[in-house]
Amino acid sequence: GSNVGNIAGTGLGLSIVKKCVDLHQGEINIDSQIGKGTTVTITIPYLQPIADQ
């Protein structure tokens, strides 16, 4: 990217998100288009509460 070295951070954001999504048995999808940007979609399955089953 063109902003490398210009924005402070540790670079751990997506790694932390992936760990959380994995723990919830979810899914991360990434769609990137040059010149348009990137869309990140996170899906986490819904678990119906025990009282409602």
Side-chain angles (χ1 to χ4, degrees), residues 8-50:
T10 59
L12 293 174
L14 192 55
S15 175
I16 293 168
V17 169
K18 182 181 181 329
K19 181 66 173 179
C20 291
V21 171
D22 287 348
L23 288 170
H24 288 283
Q25 299 176 356
E27 187 175 285
I28 300 174
N29 291 299
I30 299 175
D31 180 32
S32 186
Q33 297 180 5
I34 296 174
K36 291 188 176 183
T38 301
T39 300
V40 179
T41 304
I42 298 170
T43 306
I44 296 177
Y46 173 75
L47 178 61
Q48 192 170 11
I50 295 172

